């Protein structure tokens, strides 16, 4: 069965902290994505990766970076967390031109 | 760039009633289209997808959707709603190799 896992379901961090969100997929998918989800705004793409060490900015990359050292793992990094980054973060993966599979999400609160 | 509009932010239906959730998209060519469902605190689960062929597609949990090119729509339907269908529903349009756009979502409440 297809599986995308995220390292934490809930996370509370302080302003200015460096935050790592990890995502792992077991489907050998080429593409991996990070979205943030806020009420009324749907899902907004932060970054995606189409291969190991390759990445592309999405619609809202400011304040975020990513890392993909292995095909199955895609990390989202908040270099210096701010309160406006409090949100639900969703990771997804897919094969090219196919549906995306989502992880359960990480609800991040920055205080 | 493609975009997706879900005109209804919140819909309430009675259990056993029929349901239609609206989705309109803007894209120059024929995109591939999806409906996802999200239960509270969970990730998104694929309900159904359209790539080509028959414009009426069947999905899981008794849902179906119809692609209407002339109206740029991909509305989701279910003939009889169950209380467990209460969730948020997202329409998405894909284009190219990697690009996918999501609508803002429609929250469904089911009255007993």
């Amino acid at each position: 069965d297809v599986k995308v896992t995220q390292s934490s379901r809930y996370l509370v961090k302080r302003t200015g902290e460096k935050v790592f969100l990890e995502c792992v997929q077991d489907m050998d998918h080429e593409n991996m994505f990070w979205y943030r989800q806020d009420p009324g705004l749907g899902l907004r793409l932060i970054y995606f990766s189409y291969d190991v060490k390759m990445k592309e900015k999405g619609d809202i990359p400011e304040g975020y970076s990513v890392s993909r050292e292995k095909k199955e793992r895609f990390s989202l990094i908040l270099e210096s967390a701010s309160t406006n980054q409090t949100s639900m973060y969703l990771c997804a993966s897919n094969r090219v031109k196919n549906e995306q599979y989502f992880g359960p999400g990480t609800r991040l609160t920055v205080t | 760039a493609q975009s997706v509009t879900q005109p209804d932010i919140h819909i309430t239906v009675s259990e056993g009633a029929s349901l239609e959730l609206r989705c309109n998209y803007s894209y120059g060519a024929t995109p591939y289209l999806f409906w996802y469902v999200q239960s509270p605190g969970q990730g998104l689960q694929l309900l159904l997808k359209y790539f080509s062929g028959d414009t009426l597609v069947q999905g899981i949990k008794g849902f179906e959707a119809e692609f209407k090119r002339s109206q740029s729509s991909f509305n989701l339907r279910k003939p009889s709603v169950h209380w467990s269908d209460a969730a948020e529903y997202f329409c998405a349009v894909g284009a190219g190799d990697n690009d996918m756009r999501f609508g803002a979502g429609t929250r469904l409440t089911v009255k007993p």
Side-chain angles (χ1 to χ4, degrees):
Chain A
D1 201 13
V2 163
K3 201 159 187 181
V4 179
T5 56
Q6 296 183 227
S7 50
S8 305
R9 293 298 304 276
Y10 301 94
L11 211 50
V12 180
K13 296 292 181 180
R14 295 195 182 275
T15 301
E17 277 193 86
K18 190 168 186 175
V19 181
F20 291 87
L21 302 183
E22 301 264 306
C23 175
V24 177
Q25 52 98 0
D26 66 358
M27 297 160 284
D28 201 35
H29 286 167
E30 301 90 351
N31 297 331
M32 296 189 75
F33 305 81
W34 275 107
Y35 295 92
R36 67 175 281 175
Q37 181 182 18
D38 300 288
L41 297 178
L43 276 68
R44 293 180 292 168
L45 182 65
I46 305 171
Y47 268 97
F48 74 92
S49 169
Y50 52 91
D51 201 351
V52 174
K53 297 189 188 294
M54 307 304 289
K55 60 187 179 186
E56 292 279 349
K57 293 180 180 179
D59 298 320
I60 52 164
E62 296 79 19
Y64 304 94
S65 62
V66 291
S67 173
R68 194 168 180 199
E69 297 296 318
K70 293 185 177 182
K71 190 175 186 180
E72 68 271 17
R73 190 179 297 269
F74 192 34
S75 301
L76 180 70
I77 304 152
L78 287 66
E79 295 290 343
S80 177
S82 64
T83 55
N84 63 12
Q85 293 178 309
T86 291
S87 187
M88 170 73 100
Y89 290 87
L90 292 167
C91 175
S93 71
N94 75 342
R95 295 196 191 287
V96 171
K97 294 186 179 178
N98 277 274
E99 66 269 25
Q100 293 184 11
Y101 293 87
F102 284 83
T106 296
R107 185 163 294 283
L108 173 66
T109 302
V110 182
T111 62
Chain B
Q2 66 270 24
S3 64
V4 183
T5 302
Q6 293 181 247
D8 304 304
I9 297 172
H10 183 208
I11 283 183
T12 300
V13 299
S14 297
E15 192 168 14
S18 64
L19 172 71
E20 183 169 28
L21 302 182
R22 296 182 291 163
C23 173
N24 294 97
Y25 67 89
S26 171
Y27 186 61
T30 300
Y32 32 104
L33 299 158
F34 308 87
W35 275 99
Y36 287 86
V37 61
Q38 184 182 33
S39 298
Q42 303 296 317
L44 276 67
Q45 180 186 19
L46 182 71
L47 283 175
L48 48 77
K49 60 187 178 184
Y50 172 80
F51 282 80
S52 64
D54 192 346
T55 56
L56 184 63
V57 293
Q58 303 297 320
I60 62 171
K61 306 186 182 196
F63 285 93
E64 66 178 26
E66 186 171 13
F67 170 55
K68 292 186 176 180
R69 185 192 306 273
S70 61
Q71 298 176 19
S72 297
S73 70
F74 188 57
N75 293 349
L76 181 71
R77 300 193 295 247
K78 185 169 185 178
S80 177
V81 168
H82 188 261
W83 63 266
S84 61
D85 293 324
E88 188 144 24
Y89 292 81
F90 292 93
C91 180
V93 56
D97 290 344
N98 301 309
D99 202 2
M100 185 176 287
R101 301 285 164 168
F102 288 82
T106 298
R107 184 162 61 92
L108 174 65
T109 298
V110 181
K111 291 191 304 184

